PDB file of all heavy atoms in Angstrom:
ATOM      1  N   SER A   2       0.712   2.074  -1.007  1.00  0.00           N
ATOM      2  CA  SER A   2       1.572   3.196  -1.128  1.00  0.00           C
ATOM      3  C   SER A   2       0.942   4.514  -0.809  1.00  0.00           C
ATOM      4  O   SER A   2       1.432   5.651  -1.224  1.00  0.00           O
ATOM      5  CB  SER A   2       2.109   3.265  -2.564  1.00  0.00           C
ATOM      6  OG  SER A   2       1.137   3.295  -3.469  1.00  0.00           O
ATOM      7  N   ALA A  57     -15.978   0.993   1.506  1.00  0.00           N
ATOM      8  CA  ALA A  57     -15.600  -0.457   1.276  1.00  0.00           C
ATOM      9  C   ALA A  57     -14.189  -0.555   1.292  1.00  0.00           C
ATOM     10  O   ALA A  57     -13.542   0.198   0.463  1.00  0.00           O
ATOM     11  CB  ALA A  57     -16.249  -0.812   0.029  1.00  0.00           C
ATOM     12  N   ASN A  62     -10.833  -8.060  -3.834  1.00  0.00           N
ATOM     13  CA  ASN A  62     -12.206  -8.530  -3.994  1.00  0.00           C
ATOM     14  C   ASN A  62     -12.922  -7.365  -4.661  1.00  0.00           C
ATOM     15  O   ASN A  62     -12.387  -6.328  -5.038  1.00  0.00           O
ATOM     16  CB  ASN A  62     -12.803  -8.916  -2.634  1.00  0.00           C
ATOM     17  CG  ASN A  62     -12.512  -7.871  -1.582  1.00  0.00           C
ATOM     18  OD1 ASN A  62     -12.098  -6.838  -1.735  1.00  0.00           O
ATOM     19  ND2 ASN A  62     -12.805  -8.384  -0.375  1.00  0.00           N
ATOM     20  N   ALA A  70     -23.259   6.184  -6.937  1.00  0.00           N
ATOM     21  CA  ALA A  70     -23.043   6.305  -5.471  1.00  0.00           C
ATOM     22  C   ALA A  70     -21.608   6.575  -5.169  1.00  0.00           C
ATOM     23  O   ALA A  70     -21.344   6.986  -4.044  1.00  0.00           O
ATOM     24  CB  ALA A  70     -23.532   5.049  -4.822  1.00  0.00           C
ATOM     25  N   ALA A 104     -30.518  -0.286 -13.755  1.00  0.00           N
ATOM     26  CA  ALA A 104     -30.348  -1.548 -14.466  1.00  0.00           C
ATOM     27  C   ALA A 104     -28.854  -1.857 -14.399  1.00  0.00           C
ATOM     28  O   ALA A 104     -28.600  -3.122 -14.164  1.00  0.00           O
ATOM     29  CB  ALA A 104     -30.704  -1.417 -15.992  1.00  0.00           C
ATOM     30  N   GLY A 167     -51.200  -1.602  -3.909  1.00  0.00           N
ATOM     31  CA  GLY A 167     -50.597  -0.334  -4.269  1.00  0.00           C
ATOM     32  C   GLY A 167     -49.089  -0.470  -4.459  1.00  0.00           C
ATOM     33  O   GLY A 167     -48.311   0.445  -4.385  1.00  0.00           O
ATOM     34  N   GLY A 179     -22.892 -13.249   1.640  1.00  0.00           N
ATOM     35  CA  GLY A 179     -22.145 -11.979   1.638  1.00  0.00           C
ATOM     36  C   GLY A 179     -22.902 -10.953   2.430  1.00  0.00           C
ATOM     37  O   GLY A 179     -23.897 -11.190   3.069  1.00  0.00           O
ATOM     38  N   PRO A 188     -33.872   5.017  11.550  1.00  0.00           N
ATOM     39  CA  PRO A 188     -32.599   4.302  12.093  1.00  0.00           C
ATOM     40  C   PRO A 188     -32.818   2.911  12.639  1.00  0.00           C
ATOM     41  O   PRO A 188     -34.007   2.497  12.826  1.00  0.00           O
ATOM     42  CB  PRO A 188     -32.428   5.206  13.357  1.00  0.00           C
ATOM     43  CG  PRO A 188     -33.765   5.848  13.748  1.00  0.00           C
ATOM     44  CD  PRO A 188     -34.363   6.040  12.357  1.00  0.00           C
ATOM     45  N   THR A 196     -39.274 -12.666  13.730  1.00  0.00           N
ATOM     46  CA  THR A 196     -38.788 -13.989  13.163  1.00  0.00           C
ATOM     47  C   THR A 196     -39.983 -14.932  13.284  1.00  0.00           C
ATOM     48  O   THR A 196     -40.675 -15.187  14.267  1.00  0.00           O
ATOM     49  CB  THR A 196     -37.703 -14.598  14.016  1.00  0.00           C
ATOM     50  OG1 THR A 196     -36.558 -13.680  13.995  1.00  0.00           O
ATOM     51  CG2 THR A 196     -37.177 -15.878  13.401  1.00  0.00           C
ATOM     52  N   ILE A 202     -47.569 -13.220   9.568  1.00  0.00           N
ATOM     53  CA  ILE A 202     -47.840 -11.800  10.140  1.00  0.00           C
ATOM     54  C   ILE A 202     -48.595 -11.039   9.000  1.00  0.00           C
ATOM     55  O   ILE A 202     -48.356 -11.172   7.848  1.00  0.00           O
ATOM     56  CB  ILE A 202     -46.497 -11.219  10.483  1.00  0.00           C
ATOM     57  CG1 ILE A 202     -46.906  -9.759  11.027  1.00  0.00           C
ATOM     58  CG2 ILE A 202     -45.561 -11.032   9.230  1.00  0.00           C
ATOM     59  CD1 ILE A 202     -45.548  -9.025  11.513  1.00  0.00           C
ATOM     60  N   ILE A 228     -67.283  -7.883   3.239  1.00  0.00           N
ATOM     61  CA  ILE A 228     -68.090  -6.938   4.174  1.00  0.00           C
ATOM     62  C   ILE A 228     -67.366  -6.954   5.509  1.00  0.00           C
ATOM     63  O   ILE A 228     -67.304  -5.872   6.033  1.00  0.00           O
ATOM     64  CB  ILE A 228     -69.525  -7.511   4.303  1.00  0.00           C
ATOM     65  CG1 ILE A 228     -70.257  -7.474   3.010  1.00  0.00           C
ATOM     66  CG2 ILE A 228     -70.266  -6.789   5.412  1.00  0.00           C
ATOM     67  CD1 ILE A 228     -71.641  -8.037   3.001  1.00  0.00           C
ATOM     68  N   ALA A 231     -64.386  -4.571   5.332  1.00  0.00           N
ATOM     69  CA  ALA A 231     -64.927  -3.169   5.350  1.00  0.00           C
ATOM     70  C   ALA A 231     -65.363  -2.707   6.657  1.00  0.00           C
ATOM     71  O   ALA A 231     -65.077  -1.661   7.126  1.00  0.00           O
ATOM     72  CB  ALA A 231     -66.056  -2.924   4.392  1.00  0.00           C
ATOM     73  N   TYR A 241     -47.340 -12.179   5.202  1.00  0.00           N
ATOM     74  CA  TYR A 241     -46.112 -12.836   5.065  1.00  0.00           C
ATOM     75  C   TYR A 241     -46.216 -14.204   5.816  1.00  0.00           C
ATOM     76  O   TYR A 241     -46.492 -14.177   6.983  1.00  0.00           O
ATOM     77  CB  TYR A 241     -44.915 -12.042   5.665  1.00  0.00           C
ATOM     78  CG  TYR A 241     -44.894 -10.662   5.064  1.00  0.00           C
ATOM     79  CD1 TYR A 241     -45.620  -9.571   5.515  1.00  0.00           C
ATOM     80  CD2 TYR A 241     -43.935 -10.323   3.953  1.00  0.00           C
ATOM     81  CE1 TYR A 241     -45.540  -8.326   5.025  1.00  0.00           C
ATOM     82  CE2 TYR A 241     -43.820  -9.124   3.336  1.00  0.00           C
ATOM     83  CZ  TYR A 241     -44.703  -8.027   3.899  1.00  0.00           C
ATOM     84  OH  TYR A 241     -44.576  -6.832   3.299  1.00  0.00           O
ATOM     85  N   PRO A 251     -41.517   1.573  12.036  1.00  0.00           N
ATOM     86  CA  PRO A 251     -42.648   2.092  12.732  1.00  0.00           C
ATOM     87  C   PRO A 251     -43.639   3.044  11.958  1.00  0.00           C
ATOM     88  O   PRO A 251     -44.620   3.371  12.439  1.00  0.00           O
ATOM     89  CB  PRO A 251     -42.018   2.772  13.946  1.00  0.00           C
ATOM     90  CG  PRO A 251     -40.740   3.297  13.588  1.00  0.00           C
ATOM     91  CD  PRO A 251     -40.248   2.126  12.580  1.00  0.00           C
TER      92      PRO A 251
END
Side-chain angles (χ1 to χ4, degrees):
S2 59
N62 47 14
T196 301
I202 180 173
I228 295 176
Y241 304 83

